[in-house]
Amino acid sequence: MRHLSRSAGKRAITFLAMHVMFGVQASQEPLREPPVRASAGPSVSVTLTASNGSATVPGIGRIDGLYLYGASPQTPGLLPALWRVRAGQHVRLTLKNRLTCGLSAGEGRAPPDETNIHTHGLIVSPHTKNAQGRYGDFAFVIVESQAAGCTGTMASGHAGHMAMLPTEQGQAQYDIAVPADHPSGLYWYHPHVHSISGAQVGGGMSGLITVGDIWDYAYLTCSLDPASPGHCGSAVTRQREAQARARTDVHHLMLKDLQLTRGTSPGRWSYNPIFDPGLCDGSTTAPSQGFCDATDGSRRWLFTVNGQHLPRIDLGAGRGAVLRIANVSANVTHILRLRADRQGGTPLYLPFQVMAVDGVAKSTATQRPATSRQVLMMPASRAELYVSAAILCKDLAAHGAAQLCSSGPLRLVLEQKGLAQPDADTWPPMDLATLQVATGAGDFADEVLNIAATRPDTTAPPAPVSAPVRSAALAAPACDDGSTPTTLDAAAGQYRLIALKNGACINGTAGGCDPATAPEVFGMVTEGPRTWSGAPGDVVPTQSYREFAHDRVDMCVGAPIGTHDYAETWVVSNQSGELHNFHVHQSKFEVLATSRGAAPDVAALPPTKEGAFHDTYPIDPGGWIKLRIRFDRPEQVGRFVYHCHILEHEDKGMMSVIQVVDTTH
């Protein structure tokens, strides 16, 4: 998007890299792991409080006005509790809202003191309040704040269609039932109130969820699962595998950036909820600082890992490490790379193994485990990477740089490389964390992990159906708006078209949009069924695009739930001049084909093939993606949303409502 005075242009991409440090003074604070909420029983109980508060970040100072979570008895902070659940468990959540009322979110938005919660990536029910007074993963409830001075009424900026939403005073009860066959993996939670989610997520409100364990889908020498083709055949091999796992460290990393305004005293900052991608244009701040300052020094863009400034990750001798990384930024996209700088030589980009993306394991069942040199992470994406000295040093030796592994610890920096594009936002280069790898004796951990397929990968392609099988005695199903749900004829090549487009500035400013005074609007349109002929067909007229409304059903799907034979083809077309990030709740989808547009670094995009499942996916400016999405589970019945998961775009209208109706009941 183009901005006046604060930014140079359209959305661009950020890179991450790791490079060997020479003369860079990094923080010596070890990476902190999040506190854990778990239970051996049938449910995990969490009391989560949302509040505004302060956090002290060593090396930066005290930051006021943040949006924070705290799981009792934890004090709210930038590293809230990780919910560790097993498939088949329930999360019994009490969400308390103690956000300060009346704060400004800028851009004419409602004050960001209302909240709710979304469990991103989980395939769980979006049900509204049940007989026990508990919600599922229902993105439409509003929880009003019960902080001192709050009136308990909806903010005036949330009038109109939002006034029809169910409202809870002070707190809401949730029951998130994780299915017994839910894939193990990395997920996360965050608020999802339209128009203010970006301010809250950008101010710190996010936390991690894990389902199961990495060893549910990974092994080093042999699998401990008797049903696996690679299972350990003896007590000796089982013991060897157990010892190998004991040499593997697991780290959780949340990439969380904060835009700040300088206070009146040294070391004091306040969070600025008006996101400005051009904040650091022209900045002279060195990337090694882990932040960049605006040219006038009044504002700072701070990049943290687990709420820390330049933390250190240690990898001991003979050990491997799994880095479970979540991009919990409201708006920033990353590409992760491992970069080694050689004195007097060209830099090397080191390999790592991608174990899983978006909670879906990358199976090695049919081919040798492969390593990659970069991985794309759009906002909300998760990537699980395996690194070890064996992987790193073998590659360095192949490139004539073995001395880096024989002269002591290999000292790396997790660096955001930065990118400047013509007519595009400038993302600042940035050091994020240090990684110190013990090397030398050659007693390295195993080079790669073997990965078993997760449930979506093992699901057979759906059989085409032209209509659900129904009994004549059943009444015709209806959508909430009274319309009849539509079922696509896959055999005839039918698909639904979803198009995304940026609109004019709210106040009609010509030539650009200032993020504080003239925000841009975004829209979506859904049309179908259409018949596939190799391309999406006609461009959707501008007048067809509409901003988000909670009380409008944009797509109503009729699905024979439980038959496991119904899937739809969607084509998502980006009709704007900047990158968008497609996400749909309660589901995973396979990207079958793409039409490339003008996005930079196209090689970094995830693979497009059957069996490659995602819950977020980038779409180039002027490009499109063709995807297949299943509707075959009871957890998908109900109303939920699909949207661009760049929250600046979602908050300004690029979101739509889908309802799934079970046509067999």
Side-chain angles (χ1 to χ4, degrees):
M1 129 189 12
R2 181 178 299 280
H3 295 290
L4 297 174
S5 74
R6 291 199 182 189
S7 173
K10 295 182 173 61
R11 182 78 45 209
I13 296 181
T14 304
F15 290 83
L16 295 182
M18 288 187 179
H19 68 86
V20 176
M21 291 181 60
F22 295 107
V24 176
Q25 182 61 46
S27 169
Q28 295 303 302
E29 184 181 28
L31 179 76
R32 298 195 307 266
E33 283 290 317
V36 174
R37 295 292 178 270
S39 172
S43 63
V44 177
S45 296
V46 179
T47 298
L48 191 70
T49 299
S51 64
N52 293 100
S54 302
T56 298
V57 179
I60 299 297
R62 174 171 168 155
I63 304 172
D64 300 319
L66 293 169
Y67 288 78
L68 304 173
Y69 281 138
S72 178
Q74 176 196 26
T75 301
L78 290 171
L79 187 61
L82 180 153
W83 306 349
R84 182 177 292 162
V85 303
R86 302 188 311 274
Q89 278 189 317
H90 291 237
V91 177
R92 298 293 177 88
L93 170 67
T94 299
L95 175 63
K96 295 184 177 182
N97 185 354
R98 301 296 183 268
L99 293 169
T100 303
C101 289
L103 298 178
S104 173
E107 303 182 322
R109 303 183 198 176
D113 49 57
E114 296 158 346
T115 198
N116 58 17
I117 203 161
H118 167 52
T119 53
H120 183 109
L122 292 183
I123 305 173
V124 294
S125 173
H127 69 77
T128 186
K129 185 187 288 189
N130 61 17
Q132 290 73 44
R134 293 182 176 271
Y135 293 92
D137 183 41
F138 186 65
F140 302 104
V141 63
I142 297 291
V143 185
E144 299 287 355
S145 179
Q146 208 171 51
C150 295
T151 63
T153 58
M154 184 170 289
S156 60
H158 276 173
H161 63 89
M162 292 192 68
M164 302 176 63
L165 298 178
T167 302
E168 300 291 334
Q169 298 299 321
Q171 67 180 40
Q173 305 289 333
Y174 291 81
D175 182 3
I176 309 296
V178 181
D181 60 348
H182 197 288
S184 296
L186 180 64
Y187 307 90
W188 66 299
Y189 58 90
H190 64 86
H192 210 289
V193 176
H194 176 58
S195 86
I196 57 176
S197 61
Q200 294 183 356
V201 173
M205 282 174 64
S206 58
L208 299 180
I209 305 170
T210 60
V211 176
D213 189 86
I214 63 167
W215 304 117
D216 294 339
Y217 49 87
Y219 64 89
L220 287 156
T221 61
C222 57
S223 174
L224 298 180
D225 180 3
S228 171
H231 73 277
C232 303
S234 67
V236 173
T237 56
R238 287 193 295 272
Q239 182 180 17
R240 183 179 61 186
E241 172 67 14
Q243 292 171 342
R245 293 184 183 190
R247 297 196 307 269
T248 304
D249 301 322
V250 178
H251 299 287
H252 298 87
L253 287 74
M254 289 199 298
L255 307 182
K256 186 177 293 190
D257 58 288
L258 304 164
Q259 295 201 344
L260 312 175
T261 299
R262 188 180 299 274
T264 56
S265 57
R268 294 298 296 267
W269 300 87
S270 60
Y271 167 61
N272 186 347
I274 303 175
F275 177 70
D276 182 4
L279 188 153
C280 291
D281 287 356
S283 174
T284 59
T285 311
S288 61
Q289 297 299 307
F291 58 80
C292 60
D293 289 339
T295 53
D296 63 1
S298 65
R299 293 176 296 144
R300 174 168 291 180
W301 197 347
L302 172 66
F303 291 77
T304 73
V305 180
N306 289 0
Q308 297 173 264
H309 173 234
L310 297 173
R312 188 188 75 245
I313 304 169
D314 292 317
L315 182 57
R319 304 190 66 82
V322 175
L323 306 181
R324 309 188 81 180
I325 306 173
N327 181 5
V328 299
S329 173
N331 300 293
V332 175
T333 297
H334 301 293
I335 294 176
L336 301 179
R337 297 189 296 180
L338 288 167
R339 178 181 167 191
D341 284 340
R342 297 178 292 176
Q343 289 180 318
T346 57
L348 297 174
Y349 296 97
L350 304 183
F352 48 80
Q353 183 180 359
V354 180
M355 298 171 54
V357 173
D358 287 351
V360 177
K362 299 301 179 184
S363 176
T364 61
T366 59
Q367 58 184 355
R368 175 176 168 77
T371 56
S372 302
R373 297 180 189 272
Q374 62 182 15
V375 61
L376 177 73
M377 295 188 71
M378 298 295 291
S381 179
R382 291 87 60 215
E384 299 175 67
L385 314 180
Y386 179 69
V387 296
S388 72
I391 297 176
L392 302 174
C393 292
K394 180 179 179 180
D395 193 74
L396 287 170
H399 289 85
Q403 71 279 4
L404 294 177
C405 287
S406 60
S407 58
L410 184 63
R411 298 176 64 234
L412 308 175
V413 168
L414 181 65
E415 179 196 70
Q416 182 169 283
K417 180 175 180 286
L419 183 68
Q421 300 269 326
D423 192 33
D425 298 334
T426 300
W427 298 103
M430 198 66 56
D431 290 356
L432 299 178
T434 64
L435 178 67
Q436 184 161 295
V437 183
T439 63
D443 181 21
F444 300 143
D446 293 81
E447 183 179 343
V448 290
L449 289 170
N450 294 280
I451 308 296
T454 53
R455 184 192 62 78
D457 280 319
T458 60
T459 304
V465 294
S466 57
V469 178
R470 292 182 45 79
S471 167
L474 293 176
C479 310
D480 286 351
D481 60 3
S483 64
T484 300
T486 57
T487 301
L488 300 189
D489 186 345
Q494 289 187 335
Y495 71 96
R496 301 183 197 268
L497 174 67
I498 300 169
L500 319 174
K501 191 176 182 65
N502 299 12
C505 298
I506 288 176
N507 68 358
T509 302
C513 302
D514 185 275
T517 61
E520 193 170 9
V521 296
F522 295 79
M524 299 182 76
V525 63
T526 301
E527 293 185 354
R530 292 184 171 203
T531 300
W532 182 255
S533 59
D538 297 336
V539 174
V540 179
T542 300
Q543 62 269 23
S544 299
Y545 292 88
R546 297 187 290 183
E547 294 180 65
F548 175 70
H550 288 90
D551 56 351
R552 185 183 68 234
V553 176
D554 299 285
M555 181 194 304
C556 189
V557 174
I561 298 296
T563 62
H564 294 276
D565 65 355
Y566 184 68
E568 293 195 349
T569 298
W570 293 1
V571 174
V572 188
S573 177
N574 183 354
Q575 297 294 324
S576 61
E578 62 180 300
L579 192 70
H580 290 303
N581 182 30
F582 186 71
H583 169 58
V584 58
H585 289 205
Q586 328 315 136
S587 307
K588 303 286 186 187
F589 53 83
E590 301 169 81
V591 178
L592 304 178
T594 64
S595 172
R596 304 314 312 276
D601 202 356
V602 296
L605 285 179
T608 56
K609 63 184 180 68
E610 294 190 18
F613 285 78
H614 302 271
D615 57 48
T616 59
Y617 201 90
I619 311 174
D620 295 348
W624 52 262
I625 62 172
K626 180 184 179 184
L627 62 88
R628 179 166 61 205
I629 183 168
R630 286 180 170 276
F631 296 105
D632 61 359
R633 301 187 61 89
E635 292 85 8
Q636 295 174 295
V637 174
R639 297 178 69 203
F640 46 98
V641 293
Y642 52 97
H643 59 88
C644 176
H645 214 295
I646 297 170
L647 296 187
E648 181 189 19
H649 302 178
E650 174 204 309
D651 282 342
K652 294 174 181 176
M654 194 169 279
M655 181 161 63
S656 296
V657 176
I658 176 175
Q659 182 178 1
V660 176
V661 175
D662 185 356
T663 57
T664 65
H665 290 84

